[in-house]
Structure formats: C-alpha cells, structure tokens
C-alpha cells in the first residue's frame, strides 16, 4: 500500500463562482505501482496468440495492450489521487470533477509521470451573522375602545341587512350562521388579536 499524498505535488486555485482548479503532478513511483496493478489484472484477461490465456509474459502483455493500458492507468489513478486531495483539503464538490490530462511522461524526464487538472464547484462557506444581536421589538396588544366595538357592530348590522335584502330578492332561506352578529366579548377578543 503506497501513500498517495507522498507521491504527488499539487496546487489549488480558487476561480470565480466557487470553482476550484487543482493542478496535480503524479510521480513515477505511484504511476509504476498503478501500472503494475493494471497490468496484473489485464494479463489474466487477455488472450495473446501463442500463449494460453493469462500466461503471456508481462512485457508482451504491455506491448499488446498499448494505449488501452495507459487509459486503464489514468482511469484508476486520477480518481484515487483526486479523492485523497479532496479529503486532505476538506473540499466538498457540488458536481462531478472535470479532469484534463495535461501531459504523460512515464520516464519522469519532466519531473512527473502524469500531470492533470481537476476543476469542480466547491460548496461555498456560508457564515451566518450573530443572531443573538438581532433585537425584536415586542408590541403590546392594541387597546380596544367602545368606539372600536361600536364600529364593528355597525359593520355586522350593515352586512346582515344586505344579506337579508339579497335573500328576499332571490328567495333564498338564510341560516342562523349567515345572519349572526357576534357578542361584544367576541368582538373585543377579535380586535385585541389584531
């Protein structure tokens, strides 16, 4: 088991709209270890003419696989490395990481074996204000006067008169609920709640 973070170098760049771009360089040790795992797995699966299935020499299998082996290595290596970086940096991606392989140099002549970028939208950090500083003014209930009650009673009486006139014209029989006028106490409690 190889420590991934000891075998990579990376830089992170915050872009606009919570976008993050991470540029990663993977060294030869990690590349070779992943290549061996991929080769061992694929060697058991391929059939090469002149050899029984799974019995061809590794270098023959490597030559036979060609570009598809590199694709296998990258498909295994890049997500594993990216996952380690996400955990270490405590990133919280909101979408899929967009990978772009910048360069591959298995000889590590350029100082790395694989160089790639991963871009994603990171969950933005939201800081809430100190809610204990928010003051709410509590208003005392409205004082209900006899004039207020009188106005409401007048409104109900006018409403009842209009309903009764309307029912005479249409011949509709009114229910007690439709013509009921509330008591003074009911009106007082209703006005206090407003």
């Amino acid at each position: 088991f190889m420590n991934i973070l000891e075998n990579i170098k990376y830089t992170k760049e915050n872009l606009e709209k919570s976008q993050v771009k991470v540029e990663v360089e993977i060294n030869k040790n990690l590349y070779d270890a992943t290549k061996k795992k991929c080769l061992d797995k694929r060697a058991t699966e391929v059939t090469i003419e002149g050899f029984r299935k799974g019995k061809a020499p590794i270098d023959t299998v490597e030559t036979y696989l060609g570009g598809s082996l590199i694709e296998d290595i990258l498909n295994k290596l890049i997500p594993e490395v990216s996952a380690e970086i996400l955990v270490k940096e405590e990133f919280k991606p909101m979408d899929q990481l967009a990978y772009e392989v910048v360069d591959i140099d298995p000889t590590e002549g350029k100082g790395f074996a694989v160089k790639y970028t991963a871009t994603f939208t990171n969950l933005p950090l939201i800081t809430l204000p100190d809610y204990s500083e928010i003051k709410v003014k509590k208003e005392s209930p409205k004082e209900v006067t006899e004039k207020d009650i009188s106005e409401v009673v007048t409104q109900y009486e006018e409403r009842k008169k209009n309903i009764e006139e309307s029912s005479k014209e249409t011949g509709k029989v009114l229910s007690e609920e439709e013509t009921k006028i509330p008591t003074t106490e009911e009106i007082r409690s209703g006005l206090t709640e407003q």
Side-chain angles (χ1 to χ4, degrees), residues 40-51:
D40 291 346
K41 182 179 185 303
R42 292 290 301 274
T44 62
E45 300 169 351
V46 297
T47 305
I48 299 173
E49 194 175 319
F51 299 96

Side-chain angles (χ1 to χ4, degrees), residues 19 24 28 76 79 88 104 111 116 127 134 145 151 159 164-165:
Q19 290 274 307
V24 185
K28 186 170 176 17
K76 181 167 179 45
K88 181 174 189 272
I104 302 170
Y116 75 94
T127 43
I134 298 171
T145 64
E151 286 175 8
R159 181 176 163 260
E164 287 172 343
E165 286 176 11

Side-chain angles (χ1 to χ4, degrees), residues 102-145:
V102 177
D103 201 355
I104 302 170
D105 180 13
T107 64
E108 207 176 41
K110 297 177 183 174
F112 58 83
V114 176
K115 184 177 192 174
Y116 75 94
T117 61
T119 308
F120 58 94
T121 306
N122 195 33
L123 182 69
L125 180 64
I126 301 169
T127 43
L128 298 175
D130 183 8
Y131 66 88
S132 64
E133 298 295 315
I134 298 171
K135 303 291 183 218
V136 178
K137 183 181 174 191
K138 185 176 180 184
E139 294 182 17
S140 53
K142 178 183 171 190
E143 190 66 38
V144 178
T145 64

Side-chain angles (χ1 to χ4, degrees), residues 14-25:
N14 291 321
L15 309 173
E16 58 186 38
K17 296 183 180 176
S18 298
Q19 290 274 307
V20 176
K21 181 177 182 179
V22 180
E23 190 170 285
V24 185
E25 292 181 356

